[in-house]
């Protein structure tokens, strides 16, 4: 032992205090305990030198030695308390349930559109989209809705207040239905043709529980040399049974649309009252679900198809209405308010 034993003792006291304060875990602290108080510790080594000290110094040295040991012990125990109380340092308890990672989801309208499309794709329909900013020609004229004709009033429309980039196609507007995409596709392609068209449409309706100035439609169109009204009924009946359940009853009720002839509205038997009449269906027993019909010869002529050689059917449905019926939602505005308490239910 080169240095003075008393000086060495004080050095050990200092080193131990620093090392113990820095122990970062209970395991690390246990290593410190062994290092400073164990059999091979510097204190234990130093103890062996007591007999070689001058007799008058032994008592004081031994006393100081005990004090240092006691202070190391108390430093260990206070550090142990600190580490045990700190949650960040607490050992991982693998039996506790994990904390859930919040997960995003698709908007209920997107989900409804996807499930509608997924039912038509296996029947051979191709998904197509078209512009929301549309020309008067596609939204009305080519669909056999002539200017000044009263049927145009059935489709209240937002017109765009600026000069049309192509006056031969009329004014610009926000499309009031997805039917103009029928025209755009037929202009570009020849039959046979089967398409479904999802998208946003706009009508200047005041907001109320069943109206919104923006909503979604899915349009369908099938054209070839022989497609009949029976095919239309078959496709839509199959679609509605797949969407609302195999026991769903459907009915086709005569109606008028300028772009189809004959035209029909499709109803499903009210699921709440099974046809006997309740508040959901307004005591009618039936819920109106979509419009449809055989493509009008004037529409075929507008895209230079020969009505003598090709024919087809078209249909259109409101997505919000279908989602509301499927999920028993009473107010269309819930879809657009983005309240997470509503959206997280889907
Ligand atoms: N476009 C019609 C509407 O918005 C729906 C429809 C589409 C009807 C195709 C018949 C055929 O009301």
């Amino acid at each position: 032992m080169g240095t003075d034993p008393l000086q060495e003792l004080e050095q050990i006291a200092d080193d131990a205090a620093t090392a113990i304060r820095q122990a970062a875990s209970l395991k690390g602290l246990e290593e410190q305990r062994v290092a400073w108080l164990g059999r091979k510790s510097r204190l234990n080594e130093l103890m062996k030198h007591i007999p070689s000290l001058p007799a008058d110094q032994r008592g004081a040295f031994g006393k100081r030695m005990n004090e240092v040991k006691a202070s190391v012990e108390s430093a260990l125990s206070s550090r142990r308390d600190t580490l045990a109380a700190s949650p960040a340092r607490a050992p991982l308890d693998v039996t506790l349930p994990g904390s859930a990672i919040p997960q995003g989801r698709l908007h209920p309208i997107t989900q409804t559109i996807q499930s509608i499309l997924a039912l038509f794709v296996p029947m051979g329909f191709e998904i197509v989209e078209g512009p929301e900013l549309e020309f008067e020609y596609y939204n009305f004229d080519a669909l056999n809705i002539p200017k000044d004709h009263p049927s145009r009033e059935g489709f209240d429309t937002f017109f765009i207040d600026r000069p049309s980039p192509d006056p031969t196609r009329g004014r610009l507007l926000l499309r009031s239905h997805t039917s103009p995409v029928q025209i755009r596709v037929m202009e570009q392609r020849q039959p046979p043709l089967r398409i479904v068209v999802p998208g946003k449409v706009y009508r200047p309706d005041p907001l109320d529980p069943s109206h919104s100035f923006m909503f979604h439609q899915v349009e369908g169109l099938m054209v070839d040399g022989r497609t009949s009204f029976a095919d239309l009924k078959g496709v839509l009946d199959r679609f509605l049974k797949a969407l609302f359940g195999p026991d769903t009853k459907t009915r086709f009720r005569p109606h008028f649309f300028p772009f189809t002839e004959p035209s029909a509205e499709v109803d499903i038997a009210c699921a709440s009252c099974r046809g006997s009449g309740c508040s959901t269906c307004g005591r009618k027993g039936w819920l109106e679900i979509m419009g449809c019909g055989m493509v009008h010869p004037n529409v075929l002529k507008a895209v230079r198809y020969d009505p003598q050689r090709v024919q087809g059917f078209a249909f259109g449905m409101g997505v919000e209405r279908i989602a509301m019926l499927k999920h028993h939602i009473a107010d269309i505005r819930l879809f657009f308010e983005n309240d997470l308490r509503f959206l997280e239910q889907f």
Side-chain angles (χ1 to χ4, degrees):
M1 163 125 314
T3 50
D4 168 17
L6 200 59
Q7 224 178 306
E8 165 73 0
L9 185 58
E10 297 308 328
Q11 187 63 52
I12 292 172
D14 276 349
D15 291 352
T18 309
I20 289 166
R21 238 185 289 117
Q22 286 170 354
S25 65
L26 291 171
K27 187 165 171 281
L29 193 64
E30 171 59 14
E31 283 162 14
Q32 292 301 318
R33 191 190 63 78
V34 174
W36 298 108
L37 301 176
R39 238 179 337 106
K40 294 181 185 157
S41 66
R42 281 157 69 189
L43 278 181
N44 234 17
E45 283 302 308
L46 205 53
M47 206 120 78
K48 293 179 192 155
H49 295 282
I50 294 182
S52 58
L53 286 174
D56 60 338
Q57 286 178 21
R58 279 180 216 155
F61 186 82
K63 188 165 171 261
R64 182 68 192 134
M65 173 74 89
N66 286 335
E67 286 169 8
V68 169
K69 275 190 183 168
S71 81
V72 169
E73 247 143 18
S74 96
L76 284 167
S77 110
S78 93
R79 185 69 189 149
R80 192 174 297 121
D81 290 347
T82 309
L83 287 175
S86 147
R89 308 272 189 224
L92 179 66
D93 181 351
V94 293
T95 66
L96 290 174
S99 47
I101 298 166
Q103 226 191 348
R105 64 196 72 216
L106 294 173
H107 191 280
I109 292 302
T110 310
Q111 291 185 35
T112 307
I113 290 174
Q114 289 187 351
S115 46
I116 292 169
L117 298 178
L119 294 171
F120 284 106
V121 169
M123 291 193 266
F125 287 78
E126 178 194 341
I127 300 165
V128 179
E129 289 180 305
E132 290 168 32
L133 185 60
E134 189 51 285
F135 286 107
E136 214 171 352
Y137 172 76
Y138 292 105
N139 198 75
F140 292 124
D141 306 67
L143 285 163
N144 195 38
I145 315 176
K147 289 187 183 55
D148 308 321
H149 192 278
S151 64
R152 202 175 271 219
E153 284 160 24
F155 296 89
D156 275 346
T157 308
F158 283 115
F159 284 93
I160 302 296
D161 192 12
R162 53 186 285 181
S164 170
D166 182 356
T168 65
R169 298 182 204 203
R171 289 177 286 173
L172 279 177
L173 47 77
L174 291 175
R175 66 180 179 194
S176 55
H177 53 173
T178 40
S179 300
V181 186
Q182 292 182 27
I183 304 296
R184 287 183 173 272
V185 171
M186 288 192 285
E187 264 186 352
Q188 299 292 323
R189 305 196 205 168
Q190 290 302 309
L193 214 104
R194 275 182 229 185
I195 56 164
V196 271
V197 184
K200 291 186 168 73
V201 301
Y202 302 83
R203 294 180 193 178
D205 288 323
L207 269 174
D208 71 24
S210 51
H211 293 89
S212 164
F213 48 81
M214 185 281 292
F215 58 100
H216 298 75
Q217 287 187 332
V218 172
E219 186 87 10
L221 174 72
M222 171 163 177
V223 183
D224 62 23
R226 53 161 293 276
T227 293
S228 69
F229 202 93
D231 296 313
L232 170 60
K233 288 187 77 171
V235 165
L236 293 185
D237 187 67
R238 182 171 174 160
F239 161 68
L240 291 169
K241 284 189 163 62
L243 194 64
F244 288 103
D247 299 330
T248 305
K249 272 201 228 142
T250 60
R251 90 177 169 185
F252 288 70
R253 186 167 33 77
H255 196 71
F256 172 81
F257 294 106
F259 30 89
T260 46
E261 182 60 35
S263 303
E265 272 187 338
V266 191
D267 298 339
I268 57 170
C270 176
S272 305
C273 62
R274 305 206 162 270
S276 60
C278 68
S279 61
T280 306
C281 55
R283 324 248 159 251
K284 289 190 222 111
W286 295 90
L287 297 159
E288 175 204 321
I289 208 88
M290 60 205 291
C292 66
M294 301 304 292
V295 180
H296 196 289
N298 287 350
V299 173
L300 298 173
K301 282 184 207 151
V303 296
R304 298 179 201 287
Y305 283 6
D306 180 353
Q308 302 300 325
R309 304 171 62 132
V310 297
Q311 53 190 17
F313 63 69
F315 56 85
M317 66 192 97
V319 177
E320 280 77 1
R321 180 162 169 78
I322 288 178
M324 288 166 79
L325 290 172
K326 240 183 120 55
H327 302 293
H328 307 287
I329 297 162
D331 195 322
I332 194 172
R333 293 170 291 193
L334 287 165
F335 291 121
F336 309 119
E337 286 165 355
N338 288 332
D339 186 331
L340 287 179
R341 290 170 300 176
F342 172 73
L343 296 177
E344 282 175 349
Q345 297 177 67
F346 300 93

